[in-house]
Amino acid sequence: MEQRPLWSGADAAPAKAPTTRGSRAVRTSGVKSRRELSEPAAAATVRAEVSTPVLASIAVGRPVRGEFTYTLPDELAGRLEPGQRVLVPFGRGTALGFYLGPASPPTGEKVRLKAVQRVLEDSPSLPKDLIALLRFAAVHYRYPLGEVIRGALPPGLSKAVEEKEARPDVQHFAVALVNEVPPELSRAPAQSAALAYLLAVGGSAPLEEVAHAIPGARETLKKLATRGFARLEEKTVEASVKEGLIQGRPDHLTPEQDAAGVVLRAALDAATFQPFLLHGVTGSGKTEVYLRAAEHALSLGKGSLILVPEIALTPQLVGRFRSRFGAEVAVLHSALKDRERLFHWQALRRGDVKIAVGVRSAVFAPVDNLGLIVVDEEHDPSFKQEEKLRYQARDLAVVRGKQAGAVVVLGSATPALETLENVKRGRYQLLELKHRVDDRPMPTIELVDLRVERPREGVVTEEAPILSPPLLAAMAETIGRGQQVILFLNRRGHSTVLLCEVCGLSLKCSECDVCLTHHRSQNRVVCHYCGLAMPVPEQCLECTGPMLKLGIGTERVEAEVLERIPTARVARLDRDSASSAERLTEMLASFARRELDVLVGTQMVAKGHDFPGVTLVCVVMADTSLSIPDFRAAERTFHLLTQVSGRAGRGKDPGRVLVQTYNPDAEPVRRVLAHDFDGFANQELEWRKALAYPPYSRMAAVRLEGEHPEQTASVARSLGNLVSRHMPPASAGVRMLGPALAPISRIRGKTRWQLLLKGPTHTALAPLLARLEAALVDVPSTVKVVIDVDPGAML
C-alpha cells in the first residue's frame, strides 16, 4: 500500500458513516448473525419523558458498527473527556463503552435513551490524537470502531472493569538483623539453618534463593522476622539490559550519519509532519541515527515511538535504547506479561516515560507529546496484522505522524516498493547511508549450486545432506578462527514432507490443505496452521507402505550441524525454541557474548540483529519463498536474502555469505549476489506497473471461510455477481479477480475462497466495498466473510 498523507483526504474518503437513530445504529456488515441483528442495540424506543438531557456519543466494544447515543446522569454531565472508558447498558446486558464526545439529539420520532451507568477510570485511557487515529483505522480498514478501540488497549483496560494501577516488578529479600546465630535458636534447627545461610551469603539474599536452598524457608523466615532476627523486604526491579546486549554511545558518527542527523534535528525543531525514508545498507548505523533523533526529541520535551517488526528484534533494540536512556524506555509487545504491558502503558499515558519501543501494536501507544516515530525494517511483512483489525502498522504510523505533526522515519536496507514510489513522487524525503560504519566492506556473497553439490541419482530412501561440502568447509574454518556462524532457513521443523515410498501420497493435515511437518525432537508431526499434532506414523495410513522423510526445516539443520561438526556450540532460534520473551532474550544475549558458535534460525535471525562476532552467514535454501503464489514473492525473497546476508561482517573482521540454491538464475538471487537493490527494485516496479499491482493500484481482498464447501462456493459466487453488477465503467480502472479457491483452499477443516479488487485509488474501491458490507447481513452464519484492505499476502 502506498503510504501518503492524502489518505486523510481524497484518496481515503471514508465510507458513509452508519446512521445512528436513538441508541440503535444501522449496521453495514454481517459481523453478527441475523438473529442478533434484530436485537435492540442500546436502548428501547419509547416516547421521551425527559426535557433536554445531556447526550453522549459512545463506541461500544462489541462487533457492531456505528456510534450509539446515551444520556449522561447529572453527576457525570461535564465530567467526561473523550477517550474515557464507561459501562453502558447494551442489548440485554452491559458492555464496555468509550466516550467520544457530545451527541446530537436523535432526529424524527422522540425516544427514551438509556443512560451511561458509570465511569471506569479517572482520566481517559486514550488521548485525543489516538482517538483520531483509531477513527481513521476503523473507516479505512472497515472494522467496528468500538472493537478497534478495545483492541488498541492493553490487558486490564480492554474489559468492562475499573482501572487498577499496575505495580512494577518487585523482588522479595530476606535480610539478617544479627551478626551470628543466637543461642536461643538451638532448639529451632530450621530457623537456625535459614539464618546461618543468610549470614553465609553476606546477610541478605532473594527469598527465592533461600527457599530453593532450604525447603520450607519461606515460613521459617517469617518466624525469624516475627522474633526480630531477620527482616523481609521487597525491592522494585529496575529495568536492566542483559549482558551482551549493552552498547555505548559512539564518540563519532560517519559523515552520512551526521548529515542525516542534521536533517532530522531540523525537522524536529520545525515541529511539523515530515516523512523520511532512511535507506541505509546493512551495518551502516541506522539505529544510531534513530537514537540521536530520539535524544533530540527528548531535549525538546517530546516523546518518541520506535516500531520493530518482530519480537525477536525487541531485546537488542531495547538494550540499545535502555543503554542510552535508562528507565525512560517503555516496552510493548505481546510476549510480556499482562501486568507488565499495563504498567508500561500507564507510564506512557501519564507522561512518566517518553520513549516507547514495541512491535506493530505499539503504533497505538499513548506516547505523550509525540514528536518522533521510527519504523525500523519498514519493509517487513510482519507490520501487517492478519486477523481482526487488519491494519498495516507502517502506514498507520505515517497517518499518526501527520495527525500529531511528528517526524516519521521509515528505515530499511531494502525499502518496500510502495515506500520507494512515495520517494519518487516527492511525498517522502530520502536520506541515504551508502557505506558501513568505519568503512567496513560489504560481505562477499558466493553461490552454491545445489544442482551440482547435491545431485539426486537413482532411487533414494532419504534426502541427501543439506549442508553442502563448500558450506561445511566454510563453517569449520570460521569456527576454527573463533568466529560465529548464522544458518538461515525459513522453515521450522525437521522434515517438511512425509511421503509414502509405495503410493506416493504425502502425509497431510486432515483439517487443512497443507502437509504436516515432522518435529523429530517431539517425535510428532504438526500442522503449522491449525496446530494438529500426532505421533509420527510408522507406515502409510493409506497403503501401509514405508514413509520417507523429505524436505528440510531448522530442526534438521541443527541436528546435521551437530552431527557433522560435533565440537560446535549450536542453538536454534525459531518460534518452537524461543517459547518466551525470557528464553528469546537469553538466547540472543548468549550469542552476543560468544557463548555459541552457530545460530540456526528462521527469519527471526535475519532482521536487524548486530553481532560483531558473525563473519559467516549461510542461506541453507534460497528457494523456499520463490514459488509462493503471491505477486510479492520475488520482493520478499530479495529482502530476506539481503537482510540475512547483512548480519555478516559487522565487526572488525570481513564477512562472507554462502547462498545455497537450485535456482541460481532467479532474478532475486542474481541481484542479491551483486548487492544490486536499485536494479532489482526498478525491474520489479516495471513489472508491477505493467500488471497494475501496488504501488500502482490499491487492493482489497474479500476472503470467505465456511464449513460446507458447496455453500461457501455459492456465497463466493453470489458476492462476485454482486460486484460484477455494480462495477464502474472500464475507464475507471477497477478490476475484479475471481472469485476462486484460495491458494491454501482448506484450513482447520474449512473451505476458503477469495476475490480480489484492484483500483487506482481507495476511493474507487469504496462503493464496491460498501455494497459488499451491506450484503453481508444476508450471508449464512456458517460462512465467515472478511474484507482485507491492502492485503499483505495472497494465500
Side-chain angles (χ1 to χ4, degrees):
M1 161 179 183
E2 179 180 303
Q3 316 136 35
R4 52 177 178 164
L6 273 174
W7 280 357
S8 53
D11 193 32
K16 187 176 181 182
T19 58
T20 303
R21 184 184 182 191
S23 58
R24 292 186 295 181
V26 178
R27 302 172 201 186
T28 56
S29 77
V31 180
K32 290 286 188 179
S33 67
R34 279 178 287 176
R35 179 185 64 80
E36 292 171 297
L37 286 169
S38 64
E39 294 179 358
T45 54
V46 295
R47 295 286 180 183
E49 300 174 359
V50 190
S51 53
T52 54
V54 179
L55 303 182
S57 180
I58 304 290
V60 179
R62 295 282 180 85
V64 291
R65 298 180 189 267
E67 297 175 18
F68 297 80
T69 302
Y70 288 83
T71 62
L72 286 178
D74 292 340
E75 63 271 19
L76 295 181
R79 284 185 49 207
L80 288 181
E81 295 180 54
Q84 274 184 286
R85 299 181 311 120
V86 294
L87 185 69
V88 295
F90 191 81
R92 298 191 179 114
T94 58
L96 175 65
F98 307 95
Y99 175 69
L100 300 177
S104 301
T107 57
E109 182 182 5
K110 292 183 178 180
V111 297
R112 177 186 294 167
L113 303 176
K114 289 186 177 180
V116 172
Q117 291 185 352
R118 73 173 189 271
V119 183
L120 298 174
E121 57 197 8
D122 296 329
S123 59
S125 286
L126 298 164
K128 290 181 180 179
D129 66 317
L130 260 185
I131 295 175
L133 180 71
L134 295 167
R135 281 184 182 277
F136 170 87
V139 171
H140 185 78
Y141 295 105
R142 298 187 172 269
Y143 204 70
L145 177 59
E147 285 288 86
V148 171
I149 297 175
R150 193 168 69 89
L153 293 171
L157 297 180
S158 59
K159 295 182 179 179
V161 294
E162 293 192 5
E163 181 178 6
K164 295 181 180 178
E165 194 73 19
R167 296 188 62 197
D169 278 335
V170 296
Q171 190 172 14
H172 294 90
F173 283 81
V175 180
L177 298 179
V178 293
N179 296 323
E180 58 182 20
V181 178
E184 55 262 47
L185 290 183
S186 59
R187 295 186 179 182
Q191 295 179 41
S192 178
L195 186 55
Y197 181 90
L198 282 180
L199 294 172
V201 296
S204 175
L207 197 58
E208 289 286 341
E209 177 188 323
V210 184
H212 181 74
I214 302 175
R218 290 180 183 276
E219 290 302 318
T220 303
L221 288 168
K222 289 180 182 179
K223 294 176 181 177
L224 285 171
T226 302
R227 301 179 69 172
F229 297 132
R231 180 178 71 247
L232 301 181
E233 61 184 27
E234 64 178 36
K235 296 180 182 178
T236 300
V237 178
E238 299 293 337
S240 60
V241 182
K242 203 79 172 176
E243 183 186 352
L245 301 181
I246 299 173
Q247 288 198 13
R249 191 177 194 270
D251 296 329
H252 305 287
L253 297 178
T254 67
E256 291 175 332
Q257 285 177 315
D258 190 49
V262 168
V263 174
L264 292 179
R265 286 195 298 273
L268 287 164
D269 290 338
T272 58
F273 167 62
Q274 295 184 57
F276 294 89
L277 167 62
L278 181 62
H279 184 187
V281 299
T282 54
S284 59
K286 293 185 290 295
T287 304
E288 186 60 34
V289 175
Y290 306 153
L291 286 161
R292 299 289 176 108
E295 280 180 352
H296 192 68
L298 199 59
S299 72
L300 298 173
K302 294 181 176 292
S304 298
L305 172 59
I306 318 297
L307 300 181
V308 295
E310 290 268 4
I311 293 174
L313 283 182
T314 312
Q316 193 162 50
L317 197 66
V318 168
R320 296 283 298 272
F321 271 81
R322 280 192 172 149
S323 297
R324 192 74 53 90
F325 301 107
E328 278 284 342
V329 180
V331 184
L332 296 169
H333 58 73
S334 59
L336 296 174
K337 299 172 185 174
D338 288 354
R339 179 188 48 74
E340 290 179 289
R341 292 169 66 189
L342 179 59
F343 178 76
H344 289 300
W345 176 278
Q346 290 173 335
L348 286 167
R349 189 182 62 184
R350 289 191 304 267
D352 297 344
V353 175
K354 288 285 191 179
I355 299 172
V357 178
V359 293
R360 62 174 175 253
S361 59
V363 74
F364 304 119
V367 178
D368 185 49
N369 194 18
L370 184 61
L372 173 69
I373 302 176
V374 172
V375 185
D376 190 30
E377 310 291 358
E378 61 84 29
H379 65 275
D380 198 281
S382 299
F383 282 120
K384 172 68 175 180
Q385 171 89 355
E386 296 293 351
E387 59 182 11
K388 297 183 179 178
L389 174 66
R390 288 167 165 77
Y391 65 93
Q392 170 43 273
R394 174 197 62 204
D395 301 337
L396 283 185
V398 176
V399 176
R400 184 171 184 186
K402 184 185 179 185
Q403 292 175 339
V407 173
V408 180
V409 182
L410 309 180
S412 177
T414 54
L417 297 184
E418 290 86 349
T419 304
L420 281 181
E421 186 64 16
N422 276 329
V423 171
K424 289 183 178 181
R425 296 185 184 184
R427 295 185 181 124
Y428 298 168
Q429 183 176 340
L430 178 64
L431 303 174
E432 291 187 286
L433 305 178
K434 297 182 178 181
H435 302 90
R436 285 187 156 189
V437 173
D438 297 333
D439 286 326
R440 295 169 189 148
M442 294 295 290
T444 59
I445 305 181
E446 305 165 37
L447 193 70
V448 177
D449 190 341
L450 290 179
R451 297 173 302 179
V452 177
E453 298 293 345
R454 198 169 175 247
R456 301 174 66 84
E457 299 175 359
V459 178
V460 295
T461 57
E462 63 180 30
E463 287 205 307
I466 185 59
L467 303 180
S468 63
L471 191 149
L472 281 169
M475 288 179 62
E477 180 185 345
T478 302
I479 295 171
R481 291 197 303 261
Q483 297 166 350
Q484 294 175 291
V485 181
I486 286 179
L487 293 180
F488 166 72
L489 176 66
N490 207 24
R491 281 182 178 167
R492 291 182 285 159
H494 181 273
S495 308
T496 52
V497 181
L498 265 69
L499 190 73
C500 176
E501 188 176 4
V502 177
C503 68
L505 290 178
S506 57
L507 186 62
K508 287 193 171 185
C509 175
S510 59
E511 300 296 316
C512 307
D513 187 25
V514 294
C515 293
L516 295 173
T517 298
H518 174 214
H519 288 257
R520 189 169 70 171
S521 61
Q522 307 169 23
N523 194 33
R524 297 170 74 79
V525 286
V526 179
C527 175
H528 288 162
Y529 283 87
C530 70
L532 174 74
M534 64 181 185
V536 178
E538 295 182 359
Q539 55 193 19
C540 176
L541 302 181
E542 296 293 329
C543 73
T544 70
M547 301 297 292
L548 302 178
K549 298 178 178 65
L550 305 176
I552 53 172
T554 50
E555 188 180 348
R556 178 179 168 188
V557 173
E558 179 189 26
E560 198 165 307
V561 172
L562 289 170
E563 179 183 343
R564 306 294 289 275
I565 312 178
T567 58
R569 297 169 298 174
V570 185
R572 175 165 49 91
L573 179 60
D574 56 28
R575 297 196 187 282
D576 298 320
S577 60
S579 53
S580 67
E582 292 80 8
R583 170 71 178 142
L584 170 63
T585 301
E586 179 51 43
M587 189 182 300
L588 292 174
S590 180
F591 192 62
R593 294 192 299 264
R594 300 198 181 195
E595 296 168 359
L596 299 168
D597 300 313
V598 181
L599 187 62
V600 180
T602 58
Q603 60 182 339
M604 294 174 78
V605 305
K607 307 167 184 177
H609 300 299
D610 189 356
F611 299 116
V614 174
T615 58
L616 177 66
V617 167
C618 301
V619 179
V620 176
M621 183 73 74
D623 313 305
T624 53
S625 58
L626 277 173
S627 57
I628 294 174
D630 191 317
F631 72 89
R632 292 189 176 94
E635 180 185 8
R636 288 183 176 162
T637 299
F638 183 89
H639 286 174
L640 267 177
L641 295 181
T642 301
Q643 291 290 332
V644 73
S645 298
R647 301 314 107 203
R650 299 171 78 97
K652 64 181 185 337
D653 299 310
R656 182 185 179 193
V657 180
L658 294 181
V659 179
Q660 295 191 150
T661 178
Y662 283 108
N663 295 282
D665 296 325
E667 186 69 18
V669 175
R670 289 196 305 107
R671 298 286 186 177
V672 165
L673 291 176
H675 295 288
D676 187 11
F677 172 75
D678 291 338
F680 172 79
N682 290 334
Q683 186 170 57
E684 189 73 6
L685 282 169
E686 286 180 15
W687 176 78
R688 297 270 186 96
K689 191 172 186 177
L691 297 178
Y693 277 117
Y696 302 104
S697 68
R698 304 291 180 272
M699 292 185 70
V702 182
R703 297 197 169 98
L704 300 90
E705 188 179 86
E707 299 173 1
H708 309 293
E710 298 81 5
Q711 184 186 49
T712 308
S714 175
V715 172
R717 295 188 183 103
S718 175
L719 293 179
N721 291 335
L722 173 70
V723 172
S724 297
R725 291 196 304 270
H726 295 93
M727 286 284 282
S731 59
V734 177
R735 292 187 59 198
M736 179 178 71
L737 305 178
L741 277 169
I744 300 177
S745 61
R746 199 160 56 99
I747 292 180
R748 296 181 182 89
K750 295 185 178 180
T751 300
R752 304 171 73 240
W753 281 67
Q754 70 180 18
L755 64 88
L756 300 174
L757 293 174
K758 292 198 298 184
T761 63
H762 288 114
T763 304
L765 298 179
L768 292 176
L769 296 179
R771 288 188 180 276
L772 279 168
E773 282 186 313
L776 297 187
V777 296
D778 297 320
V779 171
S781 60
T782 50
V783 178
K784 178 184 177 182
V785 182
V786 168
I787 296 176
D788 186 0
V789 177
D790 305 316
M794 298 293 105
L795 298 182

